């Protein structure tokens, strides 16, 4: 998958799971500062992404933006 394809899917998951305005979700969007997500919201997104891509996401990686999460998903898929 390309970075754009992963971004679009991650964006779709964030919008669907958390009822976030799609226009607010960009690669540099910060989960806490821009989307006002708490740890439970982030857990829901991570859980859905793990199921979608059949990967495990280490939440200790300190991902703060959508782009960092997309890059992490791409790295996990490359393994």
């Amino acid at each position: 998958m390309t970075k754009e394809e992963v971004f679009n899917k991650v964006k779709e998951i964030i919008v669907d799971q958390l009822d976030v305005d799609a226009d607010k979700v960009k690669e540099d969007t910060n989960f806490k500062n821009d989307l006002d997500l708490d740890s439970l919201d982030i857990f829901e997104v991570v859980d859905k992404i793990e199921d979608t891509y059949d990967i495990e996401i280490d939440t200790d990686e300190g991902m703060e933006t959508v782009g960092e999460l997309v890059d992490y998903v791409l790295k996990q898929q490359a393994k």
Side-chain angles (χ1 to χ4, degrees):
M1 290 190 105
T2 67
K3 184 172 184 169
E4 183 179 358
E5 290 170 325
V6 173
F7 169 75
N8 288 332
K9 186 63 181 176
V10 167
K11 178 178 179 177
E12 177 185 314
I13 289 169
I14 292 169
V15 170
D16 289 348
Q17 291 287 114
L18 304 173
D19 198 28
V20 171
D21 182 3
D23 293 337
K24 286 185 166 185
V25 183
K26 299 178 178 22
E27 281 199 44
D28 63 348
T29 300
N30 185 287
F31 293 113
K32 292 181 181 175
N33 298 336
D34 298 325
L35 299 178
D36 198 30
L37 302 183
D38 62 23
S39 56
L40 182 58
D41 294 328
I42 295 169
F43 175 79
E44 288 179 30
V45 169
V46 166
D47 190 51
K48 182 69 175 176
I49 291 170
E50 287 177 332
D51 290 346
T52 300
Y53 290 103
D54 194 29
I55 61 172
E56 288 200 24
I57 297 174
D58 181 1
T59 53
D60 292 334
E61 287 290 317
M63 293 168 277
E64 296 181 2
T65 67
V66 173
E68 290 171 348
L69 179 56
V70 168
D71 289 340
Y72 186 87
V73 169
L74 286 167
K75 281 187 353 190
Q76 292 303 306
Q77 285 189 312
K79 288 185 176 182

